Amino acid sequence: MPLAPSPLTPPSLRPRPGAARQRRTRRLRRALSHPALPAWGLAAGFAALYACVGVNRHRRGLTKAYDLGIFEQAIRAYAHGRAPIVPLKGPGYHLLGDHFHPLVATLAPAYRTFPTPLTLVVAQALLMASAVVPLTRWAHEVAGPRVALLVGCATGASWGIVRAAADDFHEIAFAVPLLAFAAVALGRRRPLTAALWSLPLLLVKEDLGLTVAAVGLLIARQARRGRRSPLPGLALAAVGTAATALTVLVVLPAFNTGGGFDYWQQLDGGGHAPLWALPVRLAWPPLKWLLLLLLAATAGFLGLRSPLLLLCLPTLAWRLLSANPHYWGVSYHYSAVLMPVALAALVDAVRRSGTTLGATPGSARTPVRLPRRARYALATTALVTAVTLPLYPLHEVVMPEAWSTPPRLLATRAALDRIPDGATVAASNRLAAQLTSRTEVTLVCRAPLGRGPEWVAVDLRDPSVQSPCALAETVRMLAAYHELGYRKRVDQDDLVLLERP
C-alpha cells in the first residue's frame, strides 16, 4: 500500500490529482494511434462480416455446386491424400486440368479437421479480410490515422472483394492478400519483399503469372530510377511469363481430359475473331466501360497517376478480350484481385501529391494537411464505397429477411435429410452444394454411369439451373430417370427427390 505524502514533501514533488488517469489516457491514445490497431481491428471486423454473409447464404441454400461444391470436392480429395478428382465437373475430371491452383491444397488440414463447406467459406473470409492490413498501415504512414481508417474501410467494403467474399469459394481468395502486400511493398520501394509476396501467385491461378511479370517490370523500373541494376526485376518478369506459358501450354493440357486449355476459345472469340478486331473487343460492348470507370473511381481517379495501377493490366486484358460476357462487368468474383491494387494506387498517388506540407506523415501529434486533389480523391473513393455498399451482399447482415427460415427452406432440408451419408446423388446446382461434404454428388444434367445414382435431387425453382445445366436439360434428365424406374419420394413446390429402386 503506497504511503501518503509527507507534509514536508515539496508541492512540486507531490502527485497531482488525476495524474495517473492522465498517464493512462496518454497511453491509450498512443495505443490507438499505432497503425497496427486499426489495421488488424478493421480486418477482424470485415472477416466477421464476410463470414456471417457467406455462412448465412449457405444456410439459406444459395451456394452452388459451381463453385463451392467443386472446390469442396477438390479439397476433400487433398485432405485424404488423393488427386483433386471432381465428379461435379465430369467423370474422373482432374481439377488441375481446369485451372492451375495447387495453393488451395493448403486448406486440406483445416478441412480434414472440420469437413464442411463452411470451412472454405470462413477461410475465404479470413484471407480476403487480411488484405485490409497492409493497405491500412501504409495509409497511416503516408497520411495519418484518419486516411488509414478511410482506406481500410474502402478496402474491406470494396465492391469487388465483397462480391467475391459472398460468392461461394474461389482460388483468388489467396490472391487478394498476396497482391495487397506486394503492391504495398512496391509502394514502399521494397523490391525483395514485393517479389516474395508476388511469387506465390504462380500457384493461385495460371493467368496471375502475368501479374507477377508486371511486378517484376515495376521493380526494374524503380531500380533504373534509383540507378540500380534492373536485372532482378527483369528476371522476375521472365519467371512470371514463363510460368504462365508453362501452365497453359503444358501443365493444364497434361491434366485435362481433352488434352488442351479449355479457355482458348473464349480468348480468341471461338476461333472466328480476326486479329484486327482485338482493339475493338477491348472497348466494346459498353458494359466494359462500366468496369473501367468503377475501377478508376475506386482509386479516386487520382490513382490513375500511380504506376501501381499497371498491375491491373494483365487481369483486365484477358477479361476484356474474352468472349465470355460474365468477365466484362462488375458482378461475380473476377474483380476481387483488382481492389487491393486500386486502393494501393490511391495511397501511392496521395503520397506523390505533395503529401504533408511540413507535417510528419502518420504522426499522431501533427495533423497531416493534404492537397486539395488528394482530399477530392479520398472523398471520391469514400463516395464509391458508400454508393456500392447497398448493391452488394454485405448489406444482408442487417436485413431481417436474410436471417429468416421460410417454409420451403425447411422442406428442402427435410428432403435432403432423407439421403443417407455416402450415397451417390445427381443434383441441381444449389442442392449439390448442400451435399458435397457427405455424399458423392454429380450434376443432374450429366449422363448417368452404370446403374446411375442412388438418388436424384432437383430444385426446379433454382435460378442457377440455367447454368451449368439448362432447365430443359434438367427436365429431360428427370423424365429419363422416371423411365428408368426411379421412385418419387418428394414432389412438392418444384422440389423433386427420386430414389433408385
Side-chain angles (χ1 to χ4, degrees):
M1 183 175 180
L3 298 176
S6 168
L8 300 178
T9 303
S12 60
L13 299 180
R14 296 179 185 177
R16 290 176 297 173
R21 182 181 302 173
Q22 293 176 3
R23 287 195 296 272
R24 288 195 297 269
T25 302
R26 285 196 297 269
R27 286 196 294 268
L28 179 61
R29 287 177 178 174
R30 284 196 296 270
L32 292 176
S33 64
H34 194 278
L37 186 63
W40 287 103
L42 285 174
F46 279 111
L49 289 174
Y50 300 159
C52 281
V53 173
V55 170
N56 189 47
R57 288 174 73 86
H58 184 71
R59 180 193 70 87
R60 296 159 59 198
L62 300 180
T63 52
K64 303 176 289 296
Y66 275 53
D67 291 291
L68 180 60
I70 288 174
F71 279 104
E72 185 180 5
Q73 286 187 339
I75 294 172
R76 183 181 178 184
Y78 283 131
H80 292 86
R82 302 193 301 266
I85 303 301
V86 177
L88 283 168
K89 291 284 288 185
Y93 192 97
H94 198 299
L95 197 59
L96 290 183
D98 184 43
H99 289 298
F100 187 71
H101 39 51
L103 198 59
V104 301
T106 58
L107 298 180
Y111 185 85
R112 185 68 182 262
T113 306
F114 304 101
T116 166
L118 299 183
T119 299
L120 278 63
V121 172
V122 173
Q124 177 170 259
L126 294 173
L127 286 167
M128 290 198 171
S130 64
V132 172
V133 175
L135 290 163
T136 303
R137 298 195 67 163
W138 189 32
H140 192 285
E141 294 174 9
V142 168
R146 292 183 179 178
V147 174
L149 184 63
L150 188 152
V151 170
C153 291
T155 303
S158 60
W159 50 277
I161 290 180
V162 169
R163 186 66 181 88
D167 187 17
D168 293 353
F169 174 88
H170 299 91
E171 72 279 9
I172 52 92
F174 289 90
V176 172
L178 290 172
L179 278 169
F181 280 100
V184 169
L186 281 172
R188 287 172 166 169
R189 303 298 191 272
R190 297 177 180 175
L192 178 59
T193 304
L196 293 177
W197 278 114
S198 66
L199 281 172
L201 292 171
L202 301 177
L203 304 178
V204 176
K205 199 177 177 186
E206 63 278 359
D207 65 284
L208 289 174
L210 299 179
T211 303
V212 175
V215 172
L217 292 177
L218 287 180
I219 290 175
R221 177 180 180 272
Q222 291 178 357
R224 293 195 62 177
R225 286 178 167 247
R227 297 184 178 180
R228 300 187 305 273
S229 172
L231 290 180
L234 296 176
L236 180 64
V239 168
T241 305
T244 291
L246 180 65
T247 53
V248 170
L249 299 176
V250 178
V251 178
L252 290 171
F255 289 107
N256 190 281
T257 54
F261 181 51
D262 287 341
Y263 299 94
W264 280 128
Q265 59 181 352
Q266 295 185 5
L267 294 177
D268 65 2
H272 305 291
L275 291 178
W276 60 264
L278 292 182
V280 177
R281 287 171 57 191
L282 281 171
W284 197 262
L287 177 61
K288 299 175 181 179
W289 305 349
L290 174 62
L291 170 63
L292 298 175
L293 177 62
L294 197 53
L295 179 63
T298 301
F301 294 106
L302 187 66
L304 296 174
R305 301 177 57 183
S306 170
L308 295 181
L309 206 62
L310 296 175
L311 297 178
C312 293
L313 290 184
T315 298
L316 289 174
W318 71 257
R319 287 182 62 182
L320 299 181
L321 287 174
S322 173
N324 187 343
H326 292 158
Y327 297 156
W328 303 340
V330 295
S331 299
Y332 303 103
H333 60 283
Y334 304 111
S335 297
V337 296
L338 304 177
M339 297 297 100
V341 176
L343 273 302
L346 170 65
V347 177
D348 187 47
V350 169
R351 181 185 63 82
R352 294 166 178 267
S353 65
T355 61
T356 60
L357 300 181
T360 302
S363 171
R365 296 182 179 180
T366 307
V368 176
R369 297 175 57 199
L370 295 173
R372 182 177 299 176
R373 59 180 176 273
R375 295 197 300 268
Y376 285 165
L378 293 168
T380 300
T381 299
L383 180 62
V384 169
T385 304
V387 169
T388 57
L389 192 59
L391 306 177
Y392 289 88
L394 203 61
H395 70 279
E396 293 179 3
V397 175
V398 295
M399 291 176 57
E401 58 270 24
W403 298 92
S404 63
T405 306
R408 195 170 188 278
L409 178 58
L410 295 175
T412 302
R413 292 177 183 172
L416 296 182
D417 287 343
R418 301 181 66 168
I419 302 175
D421 294 350
T424 56
V425 186
S428 55
N429 198 14
R430 286 183 175 175
L431 295 185
Q434 302 291 318
L435 296 167
T436 46
S437 62
R438 64 183 187 89
T439 67
E440 296 297 328
V441 61
T442 60
L443 287 176
V444 69
C445 56
R446 307 286 186 204
L449 298 177
R451 297 181 59 198
E454 297 170 304
W455 295 82
V456 177
V458 172
D459 182 1
L460 294 174
R461 291 190 188 179
D462 178 3
S464 66
V465 296
Q466 302 297 330
S467 176
C469 295
L471 181 59
E473 185 66 14
T474 300
V475 173
R476 186 186 70 81
M477 288 302 302
L478 279 177
Y481 283 120
H482 280 296
E483 293 178 1
L484 291 174
Y486 278 67
R487 298 173 181 174
K488 190 177 296 183
R489 299 306 185 193
V490 175
D491 187 2
Q492 179 182 358
D493 293 336
D494 290 331
L495 182 67
V496 181
L497 181 66
L498 306 178
E499 182 183 6
R500 189 181 68 195

